[in-house]
Amino acid sequence: MFQTIKLAKLRLSPINVRTVEDKALAIEPLAADITARGVLQNLLITPVTKPRGMFEVFDGGRRLRALMLMAERGAIDADTYDVPVMVLKADTNALSETSLAANFHQLKLTPAEECRAFLHFLGKDGDIDAVASRFGQTRRFIEGRLRLASLAEPIFDALAKGEITLDHAKAYGCTENHDKQMRVFEQVSRYGGYNADYIRRMIVQDSMRSDDPIAILVGEDAYVGADGRIERDLFSAQNEDRWLDPEIAEQLAATRLEEEAARIAADLGVAWIRPIATENTWEASSKLHRVTVPPRPFTQEEQVRVEELEARCSVIEIEMEDEAISDEAYAAFEAEYDTLGEERQALHDRPRILPDELKPHVGQFLKLSRKGEMVLDCDYYSETLIQFNDAGEVGDGGNAITIGGHGGGQRGGGDTKPQRPEAVAPGGNAISARLFDELAVQRRDILAASLLGHPGLALDYMLFAMTDAKRGYGQYGTTIKAPGPQDPQIGDIGAGKARAYLAQAHEGLDASWMDGATDVERFEAFRLLDDDAKAGWLAYTVAVSLEAKPTYDARQNPMQNRIASVLEIDVAAWWRPTAANFFDRVSKGSLLALLDDVGGPALSGRYASSKKGEISTSCEKLFAGEAIVEDGVKDKALAWVPNAMLFLDGASEAPGNFEGGDDGSNETAIDEDEGDQVGDAVVDDATDVGADSEALVDG
């Protein structure tokens, strides 16, 4: 029977089918709704014997929780508040079944119905805050539902019919522009398989995020004051509002940067301060010369002290070489040596102060950090080559040396463009500088290992590099007359298949000539080796001379790429991408773009909602051939390596020009058969390694 019962007389029945936590039941919004409209549906209750007069609610647990929350907050009085109920008396099984039936047959509004309903309520009074309060929702939630209600009609119809999900609708709703919505909707409808993230990226590609460094620098007030338009993303937890007029923001940012640059230039007295709206100076400084300011010259007292320290350290070194010295004396000398060494280092670490005479010739860059802060770059640059004489003064003759750039020299020359093909990850984003360096070293190892079996080609390469270098500076990708190459400072990246092959080949070389006590004895012993042994040493020496990369930034060496094309290197046979060496190091968007390239939208769509780490692990299995996928997808995955590991024909043909140009294909090709009088194999029967490099790769 229907009646009302005081709230204080009600408690939740243990047989109520809803057992999840209050937070998951959305009690707060329901309490707000009851506050606005009261209890609209009766609770189902049954009397209990102890204590007398009490009732248990076996259906309507959410409403009871909401009422109890209101009572706790003092909104209602539990002793006087009347709750509409229906009293049923039956055994436990029957009541539990009734509870299940009452909940089982409830049908929630579809997202489309919900959106139209909120639009209807707003049409009554136009007060978004009032509607939000009555339904216990935030203003942003109501605005989001209203945005969905105003979607382009075909998109809203697709939502109403269940042809697209609510997430897809939210992605279209990140813009109010129906033309953009329909352009993307038609493309997605035509090809299918696109996830919500991909739809959102397609819609917002011509705008600027509100957390872009330029946007942070400018500020929303200044941007809107200059008639800039903002489109709110009502469906993202992050601050992903879009600025629809990025050119306005860029102009405002440029003005602020230029004003600050002019002020700093006047304060410092340098030739120029150039503003750039980015953290990286490599493109802006590519045609300039980096200037390393020399340290302050030694004073007479400092010079005398340095000579005293060096003399005393030499004495200590001789004393410590005495085998008869006691442990206590050795420890004392060692402690003194360390102390003197620290003092000597402190004297050498003199401050670098920009000389007044150099200020009219150099400048700096005013950068923009990721947090939108204007930051002055610490490096100095010059449009012309700056030289210093032995006294550290500006000069242009005698014993002048060039300061700055690579290894203390200059840096510059040539046009540069960002996003060289070898430095781009799947999806178009640039890979990090460290990852490029790591891949460059491993790629170099592959070329080196492949070169072992071609001493004739190695000889041609060596002779060309040595001869041509005499005509002027060139980037040949080898240190022929120098020790081992200076690899990027990336730490230990592990020994890959190519590096292991190089080590194995070295063990198989004839090293008997090394037993000589003097250079002449070793030289004479080396002369007695047969041609095959010499050929092995030749190829190995050239192989381990290869540089990983020619400059500080992300480029490949065109000479190395030409050598690789002659060798027809299959990089995928030597190196496979893993989570550690690649997938963990690029963005989630790049991984999804890669999956889309390999397996289409159906494959990338599977992982759209997965976490970055999960996608990375799945990619490692897929690109190792361990995942269960279609044969065509597997073949593509096993053949894929990032551009940074490929030997690209037109990559970095000249410094600063990643578009390349003539790759030399019309020139006389390098003939791997020329020079074979030295020998056709690096390590033959005598070494039992590397005679067939392809066999080792296949293994």
Side-chain angles (χ1 to χ4, degrees), residues 451-475:
L451 196 59
L452 289 177
H454 299 268
L457 180 60
L459 179 61
D460 288 347
Y461 186 23
M462 179 185 69
L463 293 177
F464 171 79
M466 293 175 63
T467 304
D468 196 65
K470 296 181 182 301
R471 301 166 53 194
Y473 177 76
Q475 294 183 351

Side-chain angles (χ1 to χ4, degrees), residues 569-590:
I569 296 176
D570 178 10
V571 176
W574 288 92
W575 183 91
R576 299 305 306 142
T578 65
N581 69 19
F582 189 79
F583 298 125
D584 281 349
R585 317 293 293 283
V586 297
S587 67
K588 176 180 176 180
S590 291

Side-chain angles (χ1 to χ4, degrees), residues 449 495-502 572-575 696-699:
K497 182 184 290 187
R499 186 166 294 186
Y501 181 52
L502 288 167
W574 288 92
W575 183 91
L696 183 136
V697 173
D698 291 340

